[in-house]
C-alpha cells in the first residue's frame, strides 16, 4: 500500500512500514534492502527540506526527510531484537518516532536530524517494549529503566551473571550492585501483568506509569544542551567583549561566588577611585553588551 506524506507524518493503522514504497515488498528483508538503497541527504538538502516543511507545510519535503532516515530506524531496531519481539514491529514503532521527530525538527537549532531523531525513535521502541514485556514493576526508576535496556546486552548467554560481571555493570551504569541483581532476577522470573489492577494502590508504581519522562524528551534535552553551551562558551565570549575594568566589575559583582554574594558597588568604587553610581553605570553598560553577545547563543 502506498502512503502519502500526510499519512507518513500522521500514521494510521499499520501503514508505517510502507512509507511511500510502491509495489509489494514481500517481507522484512525486502523492506530493509529497499531502505538501504535510499540515498542519504546532504546537510544542505536536509536543511532546505526541513525549512520547506516547517515554513510552508510542504509534505513532500517532509517525506524526503523521513525516507532518507529509514535506515537509521532499521539500525536502531536491530539492537532491540533480544527482547523477543518481531523485527517488523520494532521498525514500525521506530518509524512512528521518526515521523514525530521530523514534525518537530527545527533546522536552525544547529543539530542534524539524525541526532535529533534518534531520541524519538528509541523512545517509541522503548514504550513498545515496555508495553509488551510483561514483568510487574520492571522499571520504576530512571536507573532501573537504564538497567532494563542494558542488562541483556551485558549478559553472556542465559546463565546468571557472575559477581565480577555484576560489579562491572553496576559501575558502568552508575547504579548499586543490588539493583543489578534485583533486575536480573525480575527478568528471569515468570511473566506478570504490566499494569497493576486499577483498584489497587500499586497501580501508581506499575511500569505503565513510567513509559515517558519529561526530562528525557528530545526538545528538553536540546534546551538543556543549549543552556550548557550558553553557560560555558557563550559566557566566556560575552566577557571577552568587555574592557578590563568592565570585566572586573561584572566578575566581582556576579561571578565571584556561587551563592551570588558578590562585591558591593561601594567596594568597587573604592577599588577604582570613582563613585558607586559610576560603578553602577559601567556595570549596566557591560551587562547590555554581554546580553547582545549572548543573543547568538540563545
Amino acid at each position: 500500500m502506498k502512503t502519502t506524506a500526510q499519512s507518513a507524518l500522521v500514521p494510521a493503522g499499520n501503514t508505517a512500514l510502507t512509507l511511500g514504497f510502491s509495489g509489494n515488498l514481500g517481507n522484512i528483508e525486502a523492506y530493509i534492502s529497499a531502505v538501504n538503497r535510499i540515498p542519504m541527504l546532504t546537510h544542505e538538502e536536509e536543511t532546505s527540506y526541513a525549512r520547506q516543511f516547517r515554513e510552508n507545510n510542504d509534505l513532500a519535503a517532509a517525506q524526503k526527510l523521513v525516507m532518507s532516515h529509514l535506515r537509521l530506524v532499521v539500525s536502531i531496531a536491530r539492537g532491540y531484537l533480544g527482547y523477543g519481539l518481531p523485527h517488523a514491529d520494532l521498525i514500525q514503532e521506530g518509524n512512528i518516532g521518526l515521523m514525530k521527530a521530523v514534525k518537530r525538527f527545527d533546522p536552525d537549532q544547529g543539530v542534524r536530524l539524525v541526532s535529533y531523531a534518534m531520541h524519538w525513535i528509541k523512545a517509541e521502541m522503548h514504550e513498545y517494549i515496555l508495553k509488551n514485556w510483561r514483568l510487574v514493576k520492571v522499571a520504576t526508576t530512571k536507573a532501573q529503566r537504564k538497567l532494563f535496556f542494558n542488562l541483556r546486552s551485558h549478559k553472556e548467554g542465559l546463565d546468571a551473571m557472575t559477581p565480577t560481571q555484576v560489579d562491572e555493570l553496576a559501575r558502568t551504569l552508575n547504579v548499586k550492585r543490588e539493583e543489578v541483581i534485583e533486575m536480573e532476577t525480575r527478568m528471569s522470573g515468570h511473566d506478570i501483568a504490566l499494569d497493576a489492577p486499577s483498584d489497587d494502590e500499586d497501580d501508581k508504581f506499575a511500569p505503565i506509569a513510567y513509559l515517558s519522562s519529561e526530562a528525557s524528551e528530545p526538545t528538553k534535552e536540546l534546551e538543556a544542551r543549549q543552556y550548557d553551551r550558553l553557560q560555558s562558551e557563550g559566557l566566556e565570549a560575552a566577557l571577552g567583549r568587555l574592557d578590563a575594568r568592565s570585566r572586573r566589575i561584572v566578575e566581582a559583582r556576579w561571578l565571584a561566588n556561587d551563592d551570588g554574594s558578590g562585591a558591593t558597588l561601594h567596594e568597587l568604587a573604592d577599588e577604582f577611585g570613582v563613585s558607586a553610581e559610576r560603578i553602577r553605570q559601567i556595570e549596566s553598560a557591560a551587562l547590555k553588551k554581554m546580553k547582545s553577545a549572548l543573543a547568538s547563543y540563545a
Side-chain angles (χ1 to χ4, degrees):
M1 175 181 179
K2 183 175 181 179
T3 59
T4 63
Q6 175 88 37
S7 62
L9 288 174
V10 188
N14 295 320
T15 62
L17 269 181
T18 56
L19 287 167
F21 291 113
S22 59
N24 182 11
L25 292 179
N27 53 40
I28 186 64
E29 288 76 17
Y31 170 82
I32 294 174
S33 177
V35 161
N36 288 332
R37 289 196 298 270
I38 300 175
M40 295 293 293
L41 298 177
T42 65
H43 191 186
E44 292 73 18
E45 289 173 332
E46 178 183 297
T47 301
S48 175
Y49 286 134
R51 285 177 177 158
Q52 289 176 43
F53 174 57
R54 190 174 182 84
E55 297 171 5
N56 306 316
N57 197 32
D58 187 338
L59 296 177
Q63 190 175 35
K64 290 279 189 181
L65 295 171
V66 171
M67 297 289 286
S68 67
H69 287 79
L70 292 178
R71 67 177 66 194
L72 173 64
V73 177
V74 171
S75 176
I76 294 174
R78 194 174 293 117
Y80 294 102
L81 291 177
Y83 294 98
L85 299 172
H87 195 185
D89 289 353
L90 286 168
I91 292 175
Q92 176 150 307
E93 296 300 319
N95 285 346
I96 293 174
L98 173 59
M99 297 170 201
K100 290 181 178 180
V102 168
K103 190 172 183 179
R104 294 164 175 80
F105 179 60
D106 182 358
D108 296 322
Q109 287 286 341
V111 178
R112 289 297 300 268
L113 178 56
V114 64
S115 299
Y116 182 76
M118 192 175 299
H119 298 286
W120 288 96
I121 294 167
K122 288 184 176 181
E124 290 296 323
M125 291 185 186
H126 286 186
E127 182 173 349
Y128 171 72
I129 292 170
L130 287 176
K131 281 181 178 179
N132 289 274
W133 192 265
R134 303 178 60 78
L135 288 169
V136 69
K137 301 181 185 176
V138 70
T140 56
T141 68
K142 182 177 181 180
Q144 288 174 337
R145 287 196 299 272
K146 185 188 296 184
L147 265 176
F148 180 81
F149 287 107
N150 283 275
L151 190 55
R152 276 181 170 270
S153 62
H154 285 78
K155 288 188 64 172
E156 297 180 3
L158 299 176
D159 296 333
M161 297 180 71
T162 65
T164 301
Q165 291 173 324
V166 170
D167 291 336
E168 182 180 349
L169 181 57
R171 185 167 53 254
T172 300
L173 300 180
N174 194 27
V175 297
K176 297 178 181 178
R177 71 184 311 276
E178 292 79 8
E179 293 178 332
V180 176
I181 296 172
E182 180 185 3
M183 182 59 67
E184 184 184 23
T185 302
R186 290 180 181 180
M187 294 181 70
S188 301
H190 296 291
D191 285 358
I192 305 174
L194 182 69
D195 295 274
S198 58
D199 58 348
D200 193 324
E201 275 296 310
D202 283 343
D203 62 351
K204 66 180 67 176
F205 300 108
I208 199 73
Y210 298 88
L211 289 178
S212 62
S213 170
E214 183 178 349
S216 61
E217 194 267 334
T219 303
K220 297 291 185 183
E221 289 190 4
L222 286 177
E223 289 176 353
R225 192 182 307 169
Q226 187 179 43
Y227 180 76
D228 290 341
R229 182 167 174 257
L230 184 68
Q231 288 284 79
S232 55
E233 59 185 275
L235 182 59
E236 184 59 35
L239 287 170
R241 296 185 60 177
L242 303 179
D243 59 74
R245 181 172 65 171
S246 297
R247 178 164 182 158
R248 163 62 185 153
I249 291 172
V250 170
E251 290 179 336
R253 289 276 288 158
W254 301 102
L255 304 176
N257 300 309
D258 293 335
D259 60 3
S261 58
T264 66
L265 294 175
H266 291 285
E267 289 172 342
L268 290 170
D270 292 340
E271 178 181 335
F272 288 102
V274 296
S275 66
E277 174 59 22
R278 179 57 183 153
I279 294 296
R280 188 196 65 77
Q281 292 173 353
I282 295 173
E283 177 189 37
S284 178
L287 292 177
K288 287 182 179 178
K289 183 177 290 187
M290 289 181 66
K291 183 177 181 180
S292 175
L294 289 171
S296 61
Y297 291 86

